[in-house]
Amino acid sequence: MGADRAVKSRRGENPTAQSRRRQRAAAGAGKFEPMTSSAETAATRRPRVAVAHPRLGRGGSELVAMWALEALQGDHALTLVTTREVDWDALNAFSGTRVRGDAVAVVRPRWPGLVQGLGPGAAFRRAVNQRQARRVAADHDVVISAYNPVDFGRSAIQLIGDLSWDGPVAARYDAPPPGLRGRLLASRVAHGAYRWVVGRLRAPSGWDVLGRDRVVANSGWVAELMAREHGLRPEVLFPPVPGDFPEVPWERRAHRFVSVGRIAPEKRVERLIAIVAGVRRRGHDVALHLAGPVGRDAYGREIARLAQRSGPWVVLTGPVHGAEKAALLAGSRFGLHGREGEPFGIAVAELVRAGCVPFVPAVGGPAEIVDHAGLTWVDEADAVARIDRMLRAPAALAGARTHLAARAPLFGTAAFVTGVRALVAEALAGRFGAKMKSEGA
């Protein structure tokens, strides 16, 4: 009995419970306080960092999660919070990382089959992921959401990947998906019931995520949009753009356009086919290679039929990765991107790094990447006209290539790694600073 009293405080807490209570108190004050116990001190252990991502597939936010882990491994004890089984070999191959999976603790839901089975239920997965992340937050010195705002119930680093979490804003740029999912979203009853279930599952803690957390946007366009919509002016950290691209002389490149990414409604792939068809009608013998998985959903079937009707100049290459993707991009002269309101556009940054000349919508992150008025368009007719003019003006095309070559070094992995490490170091030091509210908010 005396021994029991010796290891407990007068409030009945053992040292570990005391540590976690202090952590929660520090979180409530908006500061990070590294945890200590009788067995370890801040001087003898690595800081504990949790990285949350709802589902690691093959996309831009997955690159953010993997490169965040890459940046922090070794110096930090890492936990990944997600909703599906993690294939480290496949993720490393896709991301160009060397994350040591055996050194990362993985937290997944107790019923992963149910969560993974609800493929279209992105909000459901995010809600499950948030609940998991909140449960482990108190056991970590720093918590990071690698994909959009997560309510950890304490101070966190929020890496914003897109605006899907803000329904009204997202609806301005993304049309409802086709098929059953689109019909369910259009149904007030079905969608209302789904939102009610998700809201209950999320169980907000009351923490002011956007007002008190360190919010980092992936582009200046997203930062400005958040300033207008939420009165918040986040800092900007471009996402990682991995890969090495061979240098191929312009005269040896194919006279074609290439688009890399998911064949999904929000990517507006049908628009790309229409634009290149218009360019061909103006006398340019160009092709379009669509490098991405074509699903068996309603949209995938629609694009497959459209490509077949268009003729052999539309090539569905399927998904490409690694050296195969690098060779495709470096062997092409032009790129094309169709999604208006794309938050950043890693595929566009890859095109720039590969030496292509991409044409992109004037609204969104890709326009920030190319930063060239002659390469941005407002609608399909404008795109056709601008491409036609550029292809008929060798001097203008050479100038655009020189401009893009100067911008290419802005996009890679080194700056992201440095930025993530700096964010974590500042969090550990408690230097979050004043909240970055825009004037007049």
Side-chain angles (χ1 to χ4, degrees):
M1 183 174 180
D4 289 341
R5 290 196 182 99
V7 298
K8 291 187 177 181
S9 73
R10 59 186 177 88
R11 297 185 61 185
E13 294 177 315
N14 61 34
T16 300
Q18 290 175 349
S19 172
R20 292 181 179 177
R21 177 170 53 80
R22 288 195 300 270
Q23 175 72 4
R24 288 191 292 268
K31 298 179 181 178
F32 285 102
E33 180 183 17
M35 297 175 293
T36 60
S37 73
S38 59
E40 62 182 5
T41 67
T44 62
R45 68 163 179 83
R46 295 176 298 166
R48 290 186 276 265
V49 180
V51 177
H53 188 286
R55 185 175 71 167
L56 290 171
R58 304 291 184 273
S61 68
E62 286 84 351
L63 290 177
V64 169
M66 289 298 291
W67 277 96
L69 294 171
E70 173 94 356
L72 300 171
Q73 68 179 351
D75 298 333
H76 306 79
L78 298 176
T79 298
L80 173 65
V81 185
T82 189
T83 64
R84 70 185 300 179
E85 186 175 352
V86 180
D87 184 338
W88 291 110
D89 289 339
L91 285 167
N92 278 320
F94 167 76
S95 305
T97 50
R98 296 181 179 180
V99 175
R100 299 187 299 275
D102 58 352
V104 180
V106 178
V107 175
R108 292 193 298 144
R110 296 174 183 173
W111 56 102
L114 172 62
V115 178
Q116 293 182 40
L118 291 173
F124 181 86
R125 289 193 300 271
R126 288 196 296 265
V128 171
N129 193 235
Q130 176 167 290
R131 287 179 72 98
Q132 296 178 113
R134 193 182 302 151
R135 289 192 186 105
V136 304
D139 294 325
H140 293 80
D141 302 300
V142 181
V143 289
I144 304 171
S145 170
Y147 181 52
N148 292 340
V150 168
D151 179 1
F152 290 94
R154 55 161 285 185
S155 292
I157 297 169
Q158 307 284 353
L159 302 180
I160 306 301
D162 58 35
L163 279 303
S164 61
W165 52 276
D166 187 329
V169 173
R172 297 177 200 168
Y173 302 105
D174 295 332
L180 177 61
R181 184 183 177 193
R183 291 194 294 272
L184 289 174
L185 289 174
S187 168
R188 295 182 61 182
V189 174
H191 194 219
Y194 177 67
R195 290 180 61 185
W196 181 86
V197 171
V198 168
R200 297 280 299 216
L201 188 60
R202 286 174 58 86
S205 70
W207 181 266
D208 184 2
V209 174
L210 295 183
R212 301 181 70 181
D213 286 353
R214 186 78 174 266
V215 181
V216 183
N218 62 348
S219 70
W221 182 78
V222 169
E224 289 297 327
L225 193 59
M226 291 186 71
R228 293 197 303 270
E229 299 294 331
H230 299 283
L232 177 75
R233 192 169 295 279
E235 57 200 279
V236 175
L237 178 63
F238 288 151
V241 184
D244 296 316
F245 300 92
E247 294 187 11
V248 179
W250 188 256
E251 59 274 10
R252 288 176 49 194
R253 292 174 177 244
H255 197 56
R256 68 186 176 213
F257 290 83
V258 62
S259 174
V260 179
R262 294 176 293 109
I263 307 299
E266 67 270 18
K267 298 300 183 181
R268 302 294 303 277
V269 180
E270 74 284 355
R271 170 186 269 185
L272 304 183
I273 297 174
I275 290 171
V276 177
V279 173
R280 288 175 58 85
R281 286 194 294 271
R282 296 203 177 194
H284 303 283
D285 185 17
V286 290
L288 171 64
H289 284 226
L290 298 171
V294 182
R296 297 181 180 179
D297 59 346
Y299 189 75
R301 295 193 300 270
E302 175 189 343
I303 294 302
R305 288 192 297 267
L306 184 56
Q308 186 175 26
R309 288 199 304 267
S310 298
W313 58 270
V314 179
V315 180
L316 301 176
T317 69
V320 292
H321 305 292
E324 184 182 7
K325 179 168 72 172
L328 174 65
L329 270 59
S332 304
R333 289 186 175 180
F334 308 105
L336 196 57
H337 194 73
R339 183 185 182 188
E340 189 175 23
E342 181 79 72
F344 176 72
I346 286 178
V348 176
E350 289 176 327
L351 289 166
V352 170
R353 290 191 58 211
C356 300
V357 176
F359 294 84
V360 303
V363 176
E368 183 179 350
I369 293 172
V370 301
D371 192 31
H372 190 295
L375 304 178
T376 59
W377 43 268
V378 296
D379 55 30
E380 293 175 17
D382 186 42
V384 171
R386 288 176 183 273
I387 293 171
D388 178 47
R389 284 198 298 270
M390 186 68 73
L391 268 56
R392 295 181 188 278
L397 181 57
R401 291 175 55 209
T402 300
H403 168 80
L404 293 170
R407 291 193 62 74
L410 297 175
F411 312 109
T413 58
F416 179 80
V417 166
T418 299
V420 166
R421 291 182 65 87
L423 287 167
V424 171
E426 291 174 12
L428 289 167
R431 296 197 302 269
F432 260 47
K435 294 296 106 183
M436 295 170 286
K437 289 287 185 179
S438 62
E439 293 183 6

